Amino acid sequence: MRMIIHKSRKKSVCITVAGLLAGIAGGLVLYYVRDVVLGWCLVITAVFALLYGMGSLFDRRPYVVLTAHGITEPFTIREQIEWEAIRYVDDFYFRGQYWVRLLLRGDYKPQLIRPGWFRRFDRLYESEGVKAVYIRMMGLEVDSMQLVALIRKMKEADMPDRIGLLKKYRSR
């Protein structure tokens, strides 16, 4: 039993539509208002929004995988972290996006974690004997508060309860 979290199709469609509207607005500004700087800024913004929106719309790779045994984030963690190894979990806002922070026990040393943007925090946690893992939540189907609540429940539950939690959250 596992729960896979992908990029959100709803958010991708919203960004794509916003890109189309920005492109139309840029074309209208260039044609009627003849403000070249504003028009091209809108057109360039529209191109980037369309690229990101369409790319996210068709991207169906798993971004977070939750099982009864642990959690995996294939881009940073690359290996499953057991629920028993998680000491603390919370979410925070940093540089325009939400992140989920997993603090792992000191004796649990995952091998395949790539370093993140939080080197200062990593050194602080290592001095306390804790390993930190960060999961970026931008554009995913669930928000950071929902994922933190699920991880906390999974961490405290035993195996049959974990399977029930996964079934409950998958059906939403």
Side-chain angles (χ1 to χ4, degrees):
M1 183 61 157
R2 66 184 185 166
M3 178 179 159
I4 299 174
I5 299 173
H6 298 280
K7 284 214 173 195
S8 173
R9 288 185 185 265
K10 181 180 176 184
K11 292 175 185 175
S12 300
V13 168
C14 289
I15 291 172
T16 304
V17 169
L20 286 172
L21 293 176
I24 292 169
L28 291 173
V29 166
L30 284 171
Y31 186 74
Y32 289 111
V33 180
R34 302 199 189 281
D35 187 352
V36 177
V37 174
L38 178 62
W40 281 110
C41 285
L42 285 169
V43 169
I44 291 170
T45 301
V47 168
F48 284 121
L50 286 170
L51 286 174
Y52 178 78
M54 295 300 285
S56 295
L57 188 63
F58 296 113
D59 183 12
R60 298 315 299 160
R61 294 178 292 178
Y63 278 80
V64 178
V65 179
L66 302 164
T67 65
H69 300 289
I71 183 171
T72 305
E73 195 262 337
F75 300 100
T76 306
I77 301 172
R78 295 188 178 193
E79 70 181 46
Q80 188 173 39
I81 295 176
E82 291 85 17
W83 298 116
E84 291 79 20
I86 298 174
R87 194 167 161 192
Y88 181 75
V89 61
D90 67 341
D91 63 332
F92 64 99
Y93 187 78
F94 182 73
R95 292 190 179 179
Q97 50 190 312
Y98 285 96
W99 296 78
V100 172
R101 175 179 39 214
L102 303 172
L103 297 180
L104 308 177
R105 290 188 329 242
D107 60 343
Y108 186 79
K109 300 291 182 189
Q111 301 297 320
L112 300 174
I113 294 179
R114 283 193 268 163
W117 297 358
F118 307 102
R119 289 182 187 90
R120 291 180 184 165
F121 294 128
D122 288 340
R123 284 187 292 223
L124 175 70
Y125 292 134
E126 285 177 11
S127 69
E128 295 177 7
V130 178
K131 177 72 177 170
V133 176
Y134 307 97
I135 301 172
R136 189 173 80 169
M137 298 300 298
M138 187 173 104
L140 298 184
E141 294 171 331
V142 298
D143 66 351
S144 60
M145 292 187 319
Q146 290 173 333
L147 185 61
V148 166
L150 179 59
I151 291 172
R152 285 181 180 160
K153 289 178 183 177
M154 294 291 282
K155 185 177 77 119
E156 295 169 359
D158 56 350
M159 188 63 72
D161 293 336
R162 289 180 187 156
I163 294 172
L165 282 170
L166 286 176
K167 286 180 183 177
K168 176 182 162 188
Y169 276 91
R170 272 183 64 186
S171 64
R172 286 185 181 182

